[in-house]
Amino acid sequence: MLHNKTYLYRLSEQLIRSNQPEHALTVKRHLARLAPTSSLLCDIGILHLENGEIHVADSLFSKAHQMTPNHITPVYNRFLVTKQTNDTLHGLRLAKKILHMPVRKINNIVLRARHEAKEYIKAQS
């Protein structure tokens, strides 16, 4: 079972729902060694961000963005980091990038990212 990617992913999500983020992080790290994906790096980064490990999270989001430069999720996650660190200049740059990124499908993450980006730009003006 330790090499079954589907099992590991489902286990990690169940651990998150069971409020066991440390165990979920361990499973997701193991899964990332088996099959690293941009989405998985973002998931791991979010867990680090929730633990207050901002630099680790930002590094993971940056790697995820390098893997899939046309996906909005890694950019949005980096934007969340800039909001936590009060890095206004970088936050504005990422917010503008979010608003101008072409997307194949409009989903909840795209809508949320664009809404927060607009609000952030408006608040900084």
Side-chain angles (χ1 to χ4, degrees):
M1 290 296 207
L2 292 178
H3 297 291
N4 185 321
K5 293 176 275 198
T6 303
Y7 170 77
L8 290 171
Y9 180 77
R10 289 183 179 163
L11 175 62
S12 70
E13 292 302 308
Q14 181 61 38
L15 289 167
I16 289 171
R17 283 190 295 277
S18 300
N19 200 25
Q20 299 179 47
E22 289 302 318
H23 294 297
L25 187 56
T26 300
V27 173
K28 285 187 181 285
R29 283 183 185 145
H30 179 71
L31 183 55
R33 284 190 296 273
L34 293 175
T37 65
S38 173
S39 177
L40 185 56
L41 292 179
C42 285
D43 288 351
I44 295 169
I46 290 294
L47 290 170
H48 281 288
L49 192 60
E50 289 172 353
N51 285 339
E53 300 165 347
I54 294 170
H55 296 295
V56 175
D58 191 43
S59 174
L60 289 162
F61 299 146
S62 180
K63 288 177 187 174
H65 180 64
Q66 289 172 0
M67 291 172 81
T68 56
N70 295 326
H71 288 193
I72 200 166
T73 304
V75 178
Y76 173 61
N77 288 338
R78 292 194 77 203
F79 171 69
L80 294 177
V81 168
T82 64
K83 286 174 65 175
Q84 280 199 4
T85 60
N86 296 319
D87 186 353
T88 307
L89 184 61
H90 195 224
L92 285 170
R93 198 170 340 128
L94 289 173
K96 290 175 185 175
K97 184 173 184 170
I98 288 169
L99 292 177
H100 294 99
M101 285 183 81
V103 293
R104 280 189 286 158
K105 187 168 86 172
I106 303 293
N107 57 25
N108 287 338
I109 189 75
V110 172
L111 293 174
R112 182 178 19 187
R114 289 188 173 166
H115 175 73
E116 284 188 39
K118 284 178 191 175
E119 293 297 316
Y120 187 79
I121 291 170
K122 190 186 307 182
Q124 300 305 319
S125 299

